[in-house]
Amino acid sequence: MMVEQGNPYIVRLSSQESPLWETTRPVLMELDIELTERCNNNCIHCCINLPADDSIAKKRELSTAAIKDILKEAASLGCLSVRLTGGEPLLREDFEELYLYARTLGLKVLLFTNATLITPSLAELFSHIPPLEKIEVTVYGMKKNSCEAITRTPGSFEAALRGINLLLEKKVPFIVKGVLLLPNRGDVEEFETWASTIPWMDDPPSYSMFFDLRCRRDEKKNQIIQQLRFAPREGVEFLARRKAIYLKEMKEFCSRFMGLTGDKLFSCGAGMGGACVDSYGRLQLCMGLRHPDTVYDVKKGSLFEAISRFFPEVREMKAHHPDYLARCAQCFLKGLCEQCPGKSWTEHGTLDTPVEYLCEIAHVQAKQLGLLQEEEKAWDVEDWKDRIQKFSEES
């Protein structure tokens, strides 16, 4: 990838990066902005939230003008869509102003929300000036007791229902997704039945269950989150509960995304055409990766500088941890396994320490799919290409 001479806002792809044809693409295609770390819920599993009334965090947050400057530069770099997330992004008192500014720039807006702060005026706004992306609403339970056992916020169940009903009344497209925890495990069937009645739900809802730890390294909360995670085997069984659909999806996935990555840390698309800005102006390849060596202060520079120069340097980083080199670098389950610099950072404060929990999930899944025998370790398998081909071609 290289910046085209004479036009710093266009990237020219090599034939290797764009195998079908020589082409150009914008420097930045999509942007995530964490408008605030604060949230009006206090979910037991959350890897981000601070209290809604945290005045210190609020003072540190990017100003309205600073966010507008970021949005304006993003649009000038060819960005097509912005994801507004948090915390709870609707806590920002300037949310409507920022939303309208993004839409005025021609950006599609993807909003992540718990729906509790959606008001009649907001629903009206989304109806008349649509975000052009489906709003994504996280639902924590189908009953007051199950929902609020997770949110730990009295009244959050009724508030979320009000917000969702406002979106339905105004025909604002949205989808719902869930989290799977002990208090709401009995709600799954009811949740999926209800979700199927939402006009814009093309597929069953997705779930979080293998929860991320706090990327700002809050050790006390991390211990709580670890205790809430699904056991790997239990989680994989839940993922595979619709067996025919699951196998079809996994055959396609494995045929495309499995393989060895060696000592290269970044085998994902982080920082390639996308970027994330946190509440305080730190630009990241992905929202979970806050290692100081991978973070760029956009208040002291520019999106263009970060994306065209800083990010490519970060993506060239190599792994040095001996366990990573002996295992992860030689493992063909890289597509199934979520091991990445962001996960190593949240779990260990490094970029390349293997995360045992993710390794176990990937191995359980591979054994369930027949890609591994019971006692095998994926980094010891030499005929992995043949196994993937056989699995992908099975009728």
Side-chain angles (χ1 to χ4, degrees), residues 116-373:
T116 59
L117 299 178
I118 292 175
T119 61
S121 63
L122 262 181
E124 189 76 22
L125 174 65
F126 295 145
S127 176
H128 286 287
I129 305 176
L132 302 184
E133 295 278 11
K134 296 175 184 177
I135 294 172
E136 297 196 14
V137 177
T138 303
V139 175
Y140 299 102
M142 294 302 293
K143 302 175 181 66
K144 180 179 176 65
N145 62 344
S146 57
C147 173
E148 294 183 3
I150 293 170
T151 66
R152 296 186 291 190
T153 305
S156 58
F157 177 69
E158 292 87 352
L161 279 183
R162 281 197 303 271
I164 288 170
N165 285 330
L166 284 169
L167 296 178
L168 286 168
E169 289 169 14
K170 293 297 180 180
K171 297 181 171 55
V172 177
F174 71 96
I175 63 171
V176 293
K177 51 193 179 183
V179 299
L180 211 52
L181 289 154
L182 184 61
N184 67 7
R185 289 190 194 184
D187 293 359
V188 170
E189 185 176 351
E190 183 181 357
F191 175 53
E192 295 188 349
T193 300
W194 169 72
S196 69
T197 68
I198 296 172
W200 307 280
M201 289 290 294
D202 299 323
D203 299 297
S206 62
Y207 294 87
S208 296
M209 68 187 87
F210 303 125
F211 301 112
D212 290 337
L213 300 187
R214 292 177 72 84
C215 49
R216 291 183 172 94
R217 307 283 298 144
D218 180 339
E219 296 296 336
K220 185 177 180 180
K221 180 69 181 286
N222 279 347
Q223 293 174 8
I224 296 172
I225 295 172
Q226 285 174 322
Q227 295 169 4
L228 296 171
R229 287 169 161 174
F230 260 56
R233 190 169 300 279
E234 187 180 9
V236 170
E237 287 174 356
F238 182 83
L239 290 175
R241 67 195 187 284
R242 299 184 186 89
K243 186 174 181 180
I245 296 173
Y246 173 73
L247 285 176
K248 180 181 178 182
E249 292 174 346
M250 293 311 302
K251 286 176 182 179
E252 181 179 353
F253 180 88
C254 291
S255 66
R256 296 177 60 193
F257 298 112
M258 302 280 273
L260 309 183
T261 59
D263 63 355
K264 186 176 181 180
L265 276 176
F266 291 89
S267 58
C268 61
M272 298 183 66
C276 307
V277 182
D278 82 353
S279 310
Y280 317 110
R282 292 185 288 258
L283 195 70
Q284 303 157 198
L285 280 80
C286 72
M287 203 58 84
L289 180 56
R290 301 180 189 274
H291 189 288
D293 292 346
T294 67
V295 174
Y296 178 95
D297 189 348
V298 76
K299 299 189 299 296
K300 298 178 180 179
S302 67
L303 291 178
F304 175 69
E305 171 70 25
I307 295 163
S308 62
R309 296 185 175 87
F310 179 72
F311 279 7
E313 292 175 4
V314 172
R315 285 189 57 85
E316 289 301 315
M317 288 181 174
K318 304 294 184 182
H320 299 286
H321 195 288
D323 288 343
Y324 187 102
L325 296 176
R327 294 166 42 184
C328 306
Q330 311 299 323
C331 181
F332 76 97
L333 301 183
K334 197 64 177 177
L336 289 180
C337 184
E338 292 189 11
Q339 170 71 43
C340 69
K343 305 294 187 182
S344 287
W345 167 249
T346 59
E347 300 271 342
H348 301 293
T350 69
L351 291 172
D352 60 356
T353 306
V355 179
E356 296 299 332
Y357 180 64
L358 300 177
C359 181
E360 187 177 351
I361 293 169
H363 275 72
V364 168
Q365 196 167 15
K367 290 169 186 176
Q368 195 252 17
L369 295 172
L371 293 170
L372 287 177
Q373 300 301 313

Side-chain angles (χ1 to χ4, degrees), residues 326-327 330-332 363 372 375-384 387:
R327 294 166 42 184
Q330 311 299 323
C331 181
F332 76 97
H363 275 72
L372 287 177
E375 300 302 320
E376 282 186 311
K377 297 297 184 183
W379 48 85
D380 294 327
V381 174
E382 296 182 358
D383 64 339
W384 59 269
R387 297 188 188 194

